[in-house]
Amino acid sequence: MYAVEYFEVECPEAAGAAYYKQITNDVLLDHNLLKVIHKLHIFIDPKVPVFVATGILKKITSLIRVRDFANINPQEGKMTLVISDETYLAPMLKIFWQRFGKEHVEQPDRFTVILYGIGEEPKEIEEIVVADPSEFLFKDLIYAFRCIAPEGFRLRKEKFGDGKFSFVASENTLDENTDELIAAKFALMGETP
Amino acid sequence: MTLVPVTYKGGIYQHDIVTDLIEDLGGYVVQKHLIAQEVVLQCFVPKDDIELIREISRPLFGEVTDSPLVGTEIAVVSMSLEIHHLPHPSCDIAEYTRRLGAKSNMVSLARGPGKRIAGLNDEERDVINEHDIAVFALGNFETCIEYKMPALRRGIEVPIILCGGPDKEALQKIVDPPVDGYVGNVGRFMHRTKESEELGKLDEIIAEITRVLEKKREEIAKDSLSVAPARLMDLIREKVPAIHEVTSPTPLTVQMTGLRVKLPYDTFAQDIRKVDIEDGITIGDLSDVVPSRMRDYILVKIRPFSETNVVI
């Protein structure tokens, strides 16, 4: 976990803490999430039992626009888009269909999209926002923490937003004072929830 | 004649010579795998004839190695089917035992995970009891293992090997009454076992399984079985042709004291009971042919000499 500034796993059992540090590292690495986490503190107490993960995210600014994955060649009465990365092809087509109508959009093969008879400039097309990765980020993070937390801990309380997140899980009904626990763990990182 | 479990590896060319030799010597081929240009035979052969097999297979570049797990069926008990426990480490353990000749089955529990909520239902218990040995793959926390182990082992009669995150001494301390084998430092992890240290851990599990199985073999030898399970396998193969239609990798699974026949019980149990072994003695005379809890398979449990007064 070289990219993360602060990463600690706190647990009354030392061996358990070491294993969970490894598990957390493996899962976040597999889900490609290490690059978005700035600080992370995990607390596990198998006696209660409770699992708490608190953390700070890095700033994610980039919106995905058409120009990020397609080259536009303007021609007489049409525009040919050469796609270099298919990941965002489906949402892009959906936006084009809504905006220009299906009769103006054609896709002869996987890597080519042709727009016929549209009034807009190539520059405007290039600037169309196709996706916002931060929307999926929280879903991915929740999924990753569900993988990291011991499996029996199915009662969860999670809060994501504003560059911070907290995730509490247990197999018993969660206590009312989980907020205090979360605040204490944020304080260890020198942050407030 | 003592039969010992071995694995033969060699080229596919003229491997029939080896198969015929094993059968002529009174041995049995339990499993046969053809992988590209290679053939792997897991078999029981007479102890005194291993050198002869080595000699005859030398021109074919064959290799004979000891394989103590051949002819055993092992249950790898995983706490659930979720990503938390599969494919690592449960599948890694199951695959490793398979490589060394055992037939391993994964038994995933419906309510295995957690601490207070963990439990075992009657079907799971019965399925585990149909195996020769059960390897429990548990988690990383001492507290949880200590708390849930009594619930998970309730009713399990086969030897248990406990794998968990804490070290071996800690596991021995927290499990009461003791189980048959312990392997520490193999808890839950989420990556493939490929480092030499981790492979060493898998070897440790195999060593522990082998040790416990050897002990069980000695126990069985004190009151020997009326007939060798591998012999019944050969007979059923010969006399119940329907077994050749079964597409499972091992239609007949040899166990230490019996055999799993992967045919429907209602249709074939009577046919199997009637199979003649020798001089009019049938399988039904020497063993209990019972329905298995695993699908609708048949389980043949061979009775010991003390019950039948016959050894064939």
Side-chain angles (χ1 to χ4, degrees):
Chain A
M1 272 219 160
Y2 302 109
V4 181
E5 191 189 291
Y6 174 100
F7 174 42
E8 281 303 326
V9 177
E10 185 189 347
C11 174
E13 288 180 25
Y19 288 125
Y20 269 85
K21 197 160 188 172
Q22 182 68 44
I23 290 173
T24 311
N25 194 19
D26 289 337
V27 172
L28 293 177
L29 203 64
D30 282 354
H31 291 87
N32 217 2
L33 289 169
L34 273 184
K35 60 183 181 192
V36 299
I37 292 178
H38 180 52
K39 290 181 179 180
L40 178 64
H41 186 94
I42 289 178
F43 168 73
I44 314 166
D45 191 346
K47 285 213 165 67
V48 178
V50 68
F51 173 93
V52 182
T54 51
I56 309 288
L57 296 175
K58 284 179 186 159
K59 290 259 177 299
I60 305 156
T61 47
S62 58
L63 294 169
I64 304 290
R65 294 172 194 275
V66 174
R67 66 175 142 88
D68 294 329
F69 60 95
N71 280 322
I72 302 186
N73 302 319
Q75 287 149 310
E76 189 85 35
K78 66 175 185 180
M79 244 181 253
T80 308
L81 280 75
V82 181
I83 314 290
S84 56
D85 178 7
E86 282 179 289
T87 317
Y88 298 102
L89 185 63
M92 184 187 78
L93 279 175
K94 232 178 213 174
I95 292 169
F96 285 170
W97 288 338
Q98 271 176 1
R99 199 149 159 178
F100 310 121
K102 280 195 174 175
E103 64 278 15
H104 294 285
V105 184
E106 194 191 322
Q107 189 194 14
D109 64 67
R110 274 169 64 188
F111 297 105
T112 319
V113 173
I114 305 173
L115 303 174
Y116 290 100
I118 52 164
E120 296 185 41
E121 288 294 307
K123 271 261 173 273
E124 290 171 46
I125 305 286
E126 276 183 345
E127 292 302 320
I128 294 175
V129 175
V130 176
D132 181 2
S134 61
E135 264 178 49
F136 307 102
L137 177 70
F138 291 137
K139 278 185 194 162
D140 292 351
L141 266 176
I142 292 172
Y143 180 74
F145 281 111
R146 280 179 59 187
C147 287
I148 295 166
E151 198 202 335
F153 293 12
R154 287 184 179 147
L155 294 168
R156 305 193 313 269
K157 180 184 175 184
E158 55 226 6
K159 199 173 151 195
F160 287 78
D162 203 19
K164 291 170 186 173
F165 63 87
S166 62
F167 178 100
V168 187
S170 175
E171 62 176 25
N172 298 333
T173 314
L174 289 170
D175 274 350
E176 282 168 10
N177 60 1
T178 47
D179 288 339
E180 287 166 30
L181 193 61
I182 292 167
K185 299 308 158 197
F186 267 108
L188 288 173
M189 292 188 288
E191 305 277 345
T192 50
Chain B
M1 185 173 67
T2 331
L3 293 176
V4 287
V6 294
T7 298
Y8 169 85
K9 258 186 211 165
I12 205 162
Y13 173 67
Q14 287 192 340
H15 79 275
D16 291 358
I17 295 176
V18 182
T19 324
D20 290 346
L21 177 68
I22 291 168
E23 277 164 16
D24 292 346
L25 291 170
Y28 304 99
V29 176
V30 175
Q31 275 189 64
K32 178 177 170 180
H33 301 283
L34 295 173
I35 308 155
Q37 298 300 307
E38 201 183 53
V39 64
V40 180
L41 303 174
Q42 283 158 356
C43 38
F44 284 102
V45 295
K47 199 174 185 180
D48 306 331
D49 295 323
I50 294 181
E51 271 315 307
L52 178 67
I53 299 169
R54 282 212 174 102
E55 210 167 288
I56 289 180
S57 62
R58 196 162 293 139
L60 307 172
F61 299 104
E63 203 183 296
V64 180
T65 46
D66 282 343
S67 255
L69 301 187
V70 167
T72 60
E73 197 179 27
I74 297 175
V76 178
V77 184
S78 150
M79 292 303 114
S80 81
L81 276 175
E82 271 276 349
I83 184 87
H84 297 72
H85 304 94
L86 302 172
H88 322 292
S90 310
C91 292
D92 294 7
I93 298 172
E95 166 63 18
Y96 214 71
T97 55
R98 215 168 287 156
R99 272 190 214 174
L100 290 160
K103 168 77 181 73
S104 61
N105 293 320
M106 304 270 307
V107 181
S108 277
L109 309 182
R111 304 249 181 272
K115 182 179 150 194
R116 176 182 55 83
I117 56 173
L120 184 80
N121 66 29
D122 68 323
E123 189 184 2
E124 291 159 351
R125 180 199 64 206
D126 291 350
V127 167
I128 295 171
N129 278 337
E130 283 178 14
H131 292 78
D132 290 315
I133 192 168
V135 179
F136 276 68
L138 266 73
N140 290 332
F141 293 122
E142 266 180 62
T143 321
C144 296
I145 296 176
E146 188 179 3
Y147 192 95
K148 70 198 273 188
M149 202 49 202
L152 294 181
R153 66 187 293 182
R154 198 169 295 143
I156 305 282
E157 284 151 10
V158 293
I160 295 174
I161 294 195
L162 174 65
C163 302
D167 55 29
K168 196 172 171 176
E169 288 71 34
L171 287 176
Q172 282 170 332
K173 209 169 71 188
I174 57 178
V175 178
D176 181 49
V179 291
D180 300 79
Y182 302 86
V183 185
N185 302 324
V186 192
R188 172 161 98 90
F189 52 82
M190 302 281 279
H191 59 268
R192 219 184 104 203
T193 40
K194 52 185 176 186
E195 306 289 329
S196 61
E197 199 183 310
E198 291 162 341
L199 291 174
K201 277 283 149 204
L202 292 179
D203 286 331
E204 207 179 299
I205 296 175
I206 299 295
E208 198 71 355
I209 293 174
T210 311
R211 184 182 66 80
V212 175
L213 287 181
E214 278 307 323
K215 225 161 85 185
K216 192 172 171 180
R217 273 203 186 101
E218 277 168 28
E219 286 293 315
I220 296 168
K222 283 180 192 160
D223 184 6
S224 60
L225 294 174
S226 307
V227 59
R231 182 170 181 188
L232 289 193
M233 181 193 70
D234 251 20
L235 279 170
I236 294 173
R237 238 187 232 157
E238 200 181 302
K239 296 186 178 164
V240 186
I243 199 76
H244 299 290
E245 310 291 320
V246 178
T247 49
S248 301
T250 53
L252 291 157
T253 308
V254 177
Q255 300 179 340
M256 288 170 86
T257 58
L259 197 66
R260 188 189 300 286
V261 185
K262 294 180 181 170
L263 285 170
Y265 179 82
D266 292 338
T267 328
F268 289 98
Q270 212 47 37
D271 295 354
I272 286 178
R273 279 194 197 103
K274 281 186 197 151
V275 170
D276 183 56
I277 307 174
E278 213 175 283
D279 302 333
I281 299 172
T282 60
I283 291 183
D285 294 335
L286 300 186
S287 53
D288 300 316
V289 179
V290 293
S292 162
R293 287 298 299 254
M294 199 185 282
R295 308 211 183 164
D296 55 350
Y297 296 156
I298 302 168
L299 200 64
V300 180
K301 291 182 181 170
I302 301 170
R303 288 202 289 259
F305 171 73
S306 60
E307 284 183 33
T308 58
N309 275 330
V310 180
V311 171
I312 312 181

